[in-house]
């Protein structure tokens, strides 16, 4: 049914809105075991100097299904702004001049990958958290969904302990299976909230149980009437938090931790087609072991002494097409300095090329390198939070032929994969990097490169089911020199386990796992490039 077909609600009788808000506040209190405030307290007798509100969640937070595209935000702003000296929504997303942090198709774990960065940027004093609908709707490890939500709340309170976090239950669905899973998920939330409350954190519960299937625009998303009910419930939650003295005018937020995203492509320093084992220290210096096949490694000692760049800014990729990985330093603004591999320290050295890319306005952690067009030279890629990819094809780099901008080549091809889950590797041996999404459990979904990144990427579905290792330990790199990326797990101690890719067309076909390296340096896995 089209939500636009609904007429606007008749004006409420005097006092009705106050009663609704008060009842919503009472539901919040009931969920945390606290006495409900008096209606006058919840509805009208509160005032705060400043409300900086971050709506955080998925497409429902974004407002899908509402006729104006703003979901509950416009209605909620109308209810809250009179109670605040200043009111604003904050977040990296924007609909109709109202900011938010609603990401279409995202699950709980995907929010966890970026929430600390969003908090550090926006510094909200209230977070409205509605997430989990995609987990239960698509049956993504539903039994552990409440635990993942608890982890997400803990991330928020650790980063911003003075911020009020209102955790919302899910509403409903016309799909019976989804609706039942929602009920199970929701039943776990009051205890989850109370556990955080008991530790002194400002975490409250907001019940969306007033929504029925008549309040839906489709099988999952609310219509305008449903979003008004969500606004009422959140207004009650904010009112209760304000009367309890939770909402501070200014809050301290810790800087977002740096998340190292593997950004290397074909880490082969001697050009024999097999990925070598490199350990990058915090000062950017590099220790190297050459891959001699069958688990044999030849130590090369220090292959690069560093150039003053921190280790997390160092990347390896073949810029000039000679099959040997070059040393790149990616600065905070995404600009790139390059040293071409002439054999490495003690073996021919490195040739400075200066700044080969001035950047395109993207930060360092979004910059990747991969050969999209199969010419042997790594191209410059920007992977955004939603997994979409913008590309600049390598024509020699700044001062040496430049870069050919191709725009957005993959518009979130990873079916909702967040940017830090995206990897690039050649699965089918055609010389072109394919698009891979590595999930938390180490499983891998793949989309094969259609040619030079232009055109439709060919989905291969799940090409690796995982081996019990978490996704952030998984690498995809060619260790046997057959041109196809293999599945690797780099353990915490730097040891490497490998499953060789036996498929000629990028489908699920892997050899039995073997221990490939035992961590010759004792370097932690986060410093290993392979």
């Amino acid at each position: 049914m089209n939500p636009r077909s609904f007429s606007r609600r008749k004006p409420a009788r005097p006092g009705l809105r106050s009663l609704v808000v008060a009842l919503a506040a009472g539901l919040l209190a009931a969920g945390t075991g606290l006495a409900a405030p008096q209606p006058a307290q919840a509805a009208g007798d509160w005032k705060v100097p400043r409300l900086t509100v971050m709506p955080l969640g998925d497409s429902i937070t974004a407002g899908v299904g509402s006729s104006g595209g703003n979901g509950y935000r416009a209605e909620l702003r109308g209810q809250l702004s009179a109670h605040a000296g200043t009111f604003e929504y904050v977040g990296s997303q924007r609909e109709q001049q109202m900011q938010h942090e609603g990401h279409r198709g995202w699950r709980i774990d995907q929010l966890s990958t970026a929430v600390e960065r969003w908090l550090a940027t926006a510094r909200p004093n209230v977070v409205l958290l509605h997430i989990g609908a995609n987990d239960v709707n698509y049956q993504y490890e539903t039994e552990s969904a409440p635990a993942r939500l608890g982890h997400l709340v803990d991330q928020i309170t650790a980063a911003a302990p003075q911020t009020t976090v209102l955790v919302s239950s899910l509403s409903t669905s016309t799909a019976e299976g989804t609706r039942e899973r929602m009920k199970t998920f929701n039943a776990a939330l009051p205890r989850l909230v109370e556990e955080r409350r008991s530790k002194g954190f400002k975490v409250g519960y907001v019940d969306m149980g007033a929504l029925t299937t008549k309040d839906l625009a489709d099988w999952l998303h609310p219509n305008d009437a449903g979003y008004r009910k969500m606004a009422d419930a959140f207004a009650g939650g904010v009112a209760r938090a304000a009367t309890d003295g939770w909402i501070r005018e200014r809050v301290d937020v810790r800087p977002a931790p740096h998340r190292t995203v593997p950004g290397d492509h074909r880490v082969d320093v001697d050009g024999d087609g097999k990925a070598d084992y490199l350990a990058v220290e915090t000062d950017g210096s590099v220790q190297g072991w050459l891959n001699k096949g069958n688990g044999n490694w030849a130590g090369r000692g220090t292959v690069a002494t560093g150039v003053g760049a921190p280790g997390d800014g160092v990347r390896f990729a073949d810029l000039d097409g000679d099959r040997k990985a070059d040393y790149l330093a990616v600065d905070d603004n995404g600009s790139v300095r390059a040293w071409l591999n002439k054999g490495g320290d003690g073996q021919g050295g490195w040739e400075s090329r200066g700044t080969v890319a001035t950047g395109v306005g993207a930060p360092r952690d979004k910059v990747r390198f991969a050969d999209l067009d199969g010419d042997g030279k790594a191209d410059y890629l920007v992977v955004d939070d939603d997994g979409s990819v913008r590309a600049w094809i390598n024509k020699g780099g700044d001062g040496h032929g430049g870069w050919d901008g191709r725009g957005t080549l993959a518009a979130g091809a990873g079916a909702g994969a967040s940017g830090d889950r995206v990897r690039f590797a050649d699965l089918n041996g055609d010389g072109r990097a394919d698009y891979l999404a590595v999930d938390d459990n180490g499983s891998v979904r793949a989309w094969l490169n259609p040619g030079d990144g232009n055109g439709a990427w060919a989905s291969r579905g799940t090409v690796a089911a995982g081996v019990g290792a978490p996704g952030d330990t998984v690498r995809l790199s060619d260790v046997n020199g057959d041109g196809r990326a293999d599945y690797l797990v780099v353990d915490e101690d730097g040891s490497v386990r490998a499953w060789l890719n036996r498929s000629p067309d990028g489908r699920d076909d892997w050899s039995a796992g073997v221990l490939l390296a035992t961590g010759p340096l004792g370097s932690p896995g986060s410093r290993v490039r392979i």
Side-chain angles (χ1 to χ4, degrees), residues 258-283:
H258 177 74
R259 298 180 66 89
T260 299
V261 177
D264 303 312
H265 186 61
R266 296 178 181 164
V267 183
D268 176 10
V269 295
D270 61 353
D272 67 353
K274 299 189 292 287
D276 302 309
Y277 183 112
L278 308 179
V280 181
E281 304 303 321
T282 55
D283 63 355

Side-chain angles (χ1 to χ4, degrees), residues 299-385:
R300 285 278 297 272
T302 299
V303 297
T305 54
V307 294
D312 60 7
V314 173
R315 303 285 189 271
F316 295 93
D318 182 6
L319 282 189
D320 60 353
D322 67 354
R323 296 177 58 86
K324 294 183 290 188
D326 305 307
Y327 183 111
L328 311 179
V330 184
D331 294 321
D332 287 337
N333 64 356
S335 63
V336 182
R337 292 169 289 148
W339 286 259
L340 299 185
N341 182 353
K342 300 301 179 181
D345 287 1
Q347 304 288 328
W350 303 87
E351 177 186 320
S352 175
R353 290 285 292 272
T355 298
V356 297
T358 55
V360 293
R364 177 171 64 197
D365 62 358
K366 295 184 184 300
V367 174
R368 314 285 185 86
F369 300 90
D371 181 8
L372 289 186
D373 60 354
D375 67 354
K377 295 181 292 188
D379 306 308
Y380 183 109
L381 312 180
V382 172
V383 182
D384 290 318
D385 285 342

Side-chain angles (χ1 to χ4, degrees), residues 145-196:
R148 290 198 303 279
L149 179 63
H151 172 69
L152 175 60
V153 173
D154 292 342
Q155 284 182 279
I156 297 170
T157 56
Q162 300 160 337
T163 293
T164 295
V165 184
L166 300 182
V167 180
S168 165
S169 66
L170 302 179
S171 54
T172 189
S173 172
T174 59
E176 183 178 357
T178 297
R179 186 168 61 250
E180 292 306 311
R181 290 189 292 274
M182 282 181 169
K183 291 179 181 178
T184 301
F185 176 83
N186 289 341
L189 300 193
R191 179 179 293 277
L192 179 153
V193 167
E194 182 57 33
E195 287 173 352
R196 275 81 187 162

Side-chain angles (χ1 to χ4, degrees), residues 17 22 166 228:
R17 171 53 53 82
L166 300 182
R228 285 195 291 270

